Amino acid sequence: HWTEAGLAERAVDYWQRAGRRALARSAAAEAVAHLTRGLEVLAGLPGGAERQRRELGLQLALGPALIAAKGYAAPETSRAYAQACELCRQLGDTTKLFPALYGQSVVHWQRAELAAAHDVARELLRLAEEQGDAAARVVGHRILGAFLFQLARLAESRAHSESGLALYDPERDRSSRFVYAIDSRVVCLIWLAQALLALGYPEQARVRQGEGLASARELAHPN
């Protein structure tokens, strides 16, 4: 209704809210449609920092929706996270840079660009440690655990996954599945199980795999 009335600023806010609500219900296609419509309406507003902030919010919500709807390596997913990173740097918004860097790293990973994925993940973890952001540190350890396993650096992979689990806070980080596509505890547990198995600890791997599956079932999040 705000869009049809030509009230673009209010309309953009409501498209973003609609997109986030759809994403929270795992209605990925609907989330992508709402957020894309918000970006279309936003294009009609004057340029400047306020418009950049609004676009950043839309792009960061669009990223996880595109991961669920089209996949990590889809061109649309890559464009959303690349634009989010650029906007963060233009605005000097380091806090929102964390999910943007996450997105870029997993796009590289799913395209088998493992060195680039590792570099972006290291940047994310370094910034998180410098700023004392525990939630972002969890994500940094989570993705490094996955990427280093693919690089056959098994002991390092195990250490990062264990660090992510140690830092994970159930109250603070349970929403990670909406910002970072999948719950961080589940990801850490599954990659830790892989590393333990490859390192020759099958019983420990079985326990961790079971914990990961139990956490995933408890969350009941389709991703």
Side-chain angles (χ1 to χ4, degrees):
H1 286 101
W2 290 112
T3 302
E4 293 302 316
L7 299 170
E9 288 190 12
R10 297 296 300 275
V12 168
D13 291 340
Y14 276 97
W15 284 119
Q16 182 172 340
R17 287 171 63 182
R20 289 190 178 279
R21 288 187 178 186
L23 187 60
R25 298 194 304 274
S26 298
E30 289 83 353
V32 169
H34 296 328
L35 295 164
T36 301
R37 188 73 177 102
L39 287 167
E40 292 169 353
V41 174
L42 181 68
L45 291 175
E50 182 56 33
R51 174 174 156 175
Q52 288 178 317
R53 277 190 286 273
R54 289 171 181 268
E55 183 182 354
L56 178 57
L58 288 163
Q59 297 286 7
L60 287 177
L62 184 58
L66 286 167
I67 286 173
K70 294 180 178 292
Y72 288 92
E76 298 92 331
T77 307
S78 178
R79 284 195 295 271
Y81 281 118
Q83 181 64 6
C85 279
E86 180 61 26
L87 288 166
C88 283
R89 293 188 168 108
Q90 290 174 5
L91 292 165
D93 192 335
T94 309
T95 301
K96 291 188 174 62
L97 185 58
F98 293 129
L101 287 173
Y102 160 81
Q104 283 201 316
S105 70
V106 294
V107 167
H108 285 307
W109 180 47
Q110 289 290 326
R111 292 177 175 178
E113 299 161 355
L114 298 181
H118 179 255
D119 289 344
V120 178
R122 292 297 309 174
E123 181 184 1
L124 191 161
L125 183 57
R126 177 182 60 79
L127 287 171
E129 289 174 340
E130 286 178 358
Q131 297 186 25
D133 190 318
R137 287 175 64 200
V138 172
V139 175
H141 285 299
R142 155 191 166 175
I143 56 178
L144 279 167
F147 299 168
L148 288 166
F149 182 88
Q150 299 296 323
L151 292 167
R153 292 161 62 175
L154 302 178
E156 293 173 83
S157 171
R158 174 185 180 178
H160 279 290
S161 293
E162 288 176 337
S163 294
L165 287 171
L167 286 167
Y168 184 92
D169 182 297
E171 292 187 12
R172 181 194 63 215
D173 297 322
R174 278 180 74 88
S175 63
S176 61
R177 64 193 188 275
F178 302 125
V179 180
Y180 298 103
I182 308 174
D183 177 74
S184 291
R185 173 175 165 79
V186 172
V187 176
C188 286
L189 283 166
I190 297 305
W191 285 106
L192 176 57
Q194 298 283 345
L196 287 167
L197 183 61
L199 287 166
Y201 302 101
E203 291 308 317
Q204 292 183 44
R206 189 194 308 276
V207 170
R208 290 303 200 175
Q209 186 84 354
E211 291 174 4
L213 288 168
S215 292
R217 289 178 176 130
E218 179 189 354
L219 289 168
H221 181 232
N223 281 7

